[in-house]
């Protein structure tokens, strides 16, 4: 159902509409109807885009912070491993007791990491004497 509207538009727009309607073999009502529908659709889309833009900006900042944290952790780990390998003498193959202690410590370390991850706990920023490996 079409509803008749009486609208006032600027002379320049009226002339442009007249020329467009004459050139496309369409009518002014259809052209104005389509243009208004497109404009209203874009306006709604713009509001959604503005909302999504804020969320995407926040997510981007969080990803950038996470990336920075990961880079710090990887660099810290690589420096620690390099230092540990440079200052720790290798165990003699015949020292079975030392190898067993090392294996036991490693298994406890892996178990503690598993417990921390399962509980959602973080070690960084906490007192190392609390919740240590047992």
């Amino acid at each position: 159902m079409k509803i008749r509207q009486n609208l006032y538009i600027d002379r320049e727009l009226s002339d442009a509409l007249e020329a467009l309607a004459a050139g496309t073999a369409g009518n002014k009502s259809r052209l104005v109807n389509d243009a208004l529908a497109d404009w209203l659709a874009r306006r709604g889309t713009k509001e959604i885009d503005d909302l999504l833009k804020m969320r995407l900006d926040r997510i981007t900042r969080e990803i950038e912070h996470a990336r920075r944290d990961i880079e710090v952790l990887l660099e810290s780990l690589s420096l620690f491993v390099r230092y540990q390998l440079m200052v720790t003498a290798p165990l003699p193959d015949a020292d079975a007791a030392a190898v067993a202690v090392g294996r036991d410590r490693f298994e406890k370390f892996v178990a503690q990491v598993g417990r921390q991850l399962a509980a959602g706990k973080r070690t960084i920023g906490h007192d190392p004497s609390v919740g240590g490996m047992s």
Side-chain angles (χ1 to χ4, degrees), residues 54-125:
M54 290 187 307
R55 284 186 175 174
L56 289 173
D57 287 346
R58 182 179 49 83
I59 290 169
T60 299
R61 283 191 306 275
E62 289 175 1
I63 289 172
E64 288 169 356
H65 288 131
R67 181 178 291 132
R68 184 200 63 221
D69 290 348
I70 290 169
E71 288 174 0
V72 168
L73 287 171
L74 287 174
E75 185 63 21
S76 299
L77 178 62
S78 66
L79 287 172
F80 172 77
V81 168
R82 183 182 342 159
Y83 174 78
Q84 190 67 23
L85 292 174
M86 289 172 50
V87 299
T88 305
L91 295 174
D93 292 333
D95 194 353
V99 171
V101 168
R103 185 176 297 117
D104 184 53
R105 286 180 178 171
F106 179 74
E107 289 173 6
K108 286 181 180 179
F109 169 76
V110 171
Q112 181 64 26
V113 169
R115 284 191 298 274
Q116 292 288 106
L117 291 175
K121 294 181 182 177
R122 294 185 63 186
T123 301
I124 295 176

